[in-house]
Amino acid sequence: MTQHLASASNTLSKFGTFAASVCDWLTDLIFPPSCGNCGIVDYRFCADCRDQLTSLPLEALSKSVESLDGVCATGKQDSILEAAVKSFKYHDALELCDPLAARLAASLNQQQWQVDTIVPVPLHADREIERGYNQSDLLSQLLAQARGLPCEPAWLARIRGTSQQAQLAASERRQNVAGAFQAKAEVAGKSILLVDDVITTGSTLIECALALRAQNATAVYGIAISTPHIYR
Ligand SMILES: [Zn+2]
């Protein structure tokens, strides 16, 4: 009986995935996507713009943020980098995962950080289901492969829902994420690299770092694709 139920649930889940992809296909047919950078129709981020992104010089902007041993971003959040992060995060432009992760790897190479494990900044489970993926998780997996390091998304969880930081004033951001994360005991004795898409006030990274340190992580670093501020 249990086996039948499991098999029925598996079939339903496969049907759900199939139905979702048919839905996506129909939506694309009726409302074709357009490139998040140049606007050309039929692409979420076209090949020309991806080439431009790949050749965009690395800026390696670093910043000192409380509770973290080092923080850096691969460039300023404007022009093509801002468009790429938005398309990747909100418009399913997963073809950007490779070029964006390559920027992170190059930026990390410039730091003298001793990292044991890579951990993505988690989304709340509800938001991950709604979006279908966690953009920081995808970047973390590729960065970990590039550096030959383990990636452990389950070591840090978002234990309560929060409003989207991008929609809040700087002064409200810290309160919004206060106590929102919980780390697993496995982080004890490890130097952790947190991966996020954008660093704005640093509030999310600080809260993640506090949760990791509460479980005795020895060092916490943060890396992101872009930042709206210039830090050198
Ligand atoms: Zn384009």
Side-chain angles (χ1 to χ4, degrees):
M1 180 67 179
T2 318
Q3 224 171 9
H4 285 308
L5 278 177
S7 154
S9 140
N10 196 13
T11 309
L12 267 179
S13 141
K14 276 185 187 157
F15 178 74
T17 310
F18 172 72
S21 53
V22 169
C23 242
D24 286 348
W25 178 77
L26 278 173
T27 309
D28 279 0
L29 198 68
I30 301 165
F31 306 105
S34 57
C35 172
N37 191 52
C38 71
I40 188 173
V41 174
D42 278 346
Y43 301 92
R44 291 187 167 81
F45 213 88
C46 76
D48 282 352
C49 291
R50 263 181 284 150
D51 285 347
Q52 275 183 51
L53 181 67
T54 304
S55 54
L56 185 73
L58 196 68
E59 286 191 81
L61 309 172
S62 59
K63 174 182 193 207
S64 133
V65 174
E66 67 173 89
S67 305
L68 282 108
D69 297 274
V71 170
C72 78
T74 78
K76 214 167 122 218
Q77 196 194 5
D78 57 14
S79 65
I80 195 166
L81 212 49
E82 181 177 17
V85 168
K86 277 190 183 156
S87 297
F88 180 55
K89 191 170 174 178
Y90 300 117
H91 303 295
D92 298 338
L94 298 181
E95 61 273 34
L96 289 172
C97 200
D98 278 324
L100 292 178
R103 287 185 70 81
L104 290 178
S107 186
L108 182 58
N109 282 342
Q110 296 183 341
Q111 306 298 326
Q112 306 296 315
W113 298 345
Q114 183 63 47
V115 172
D116 297 318
T117 307
I118 295 180
V119 174
V121 168
L123 283 181
H124 190 265
D126 292 349
R127 190 160 302 150
E128 189 161 341
I129 289 168
E130 184 188 314
R131 193 173 290 170
Y133 58 95
N134 172 1
Q135 70 284 353
S136 301
D137 192 349
L138 299 179
L139 292 173
S140 296
Q141 303 285 354
L142 287 184
L143 179 60
Q145 272 174 31
R147 290 296 297 254
L149 288 168
C151 177
E152 299 287 354
W155 282 8
L156 187 65
R158 202 179 277 250
I159 52 175
R160 65 173 176 82
T162 52
S163 303
Q164 277 187 309
Q165 292 286 80
Q167 290 162 3
L168 298 176
S171 57
E172 298 167 321
R173 291 183 177 213
R174 186 70 192 271
Q175 203 178 358
N176 181 43
V177 288
F181 300 95
Q182 191 164 50
K184 289 216 168 145
E186 283 91 333
V187 306
K190 303 279 190 207
S191 169
I192 304 287
L193 174 64
L194 287 165
V195 175
D196 206 355
D197 48 4
V198 178
I199 301 170
T200 308
T201 60
S203 300
T204 303
L205 285 182
I206 293 169
E207 286 299 322
C208 289
L210 291 175
L212 291 165
R213 289 191 191 279
Q215 293 290 352
N216 302 313
T218 49
V220 184
Y221 300 95
I223 195 166
I225 300 295
S226 63
T227 177
H229 310 293
I230 299 178
Y231 306 111
R232 290 195 193 270

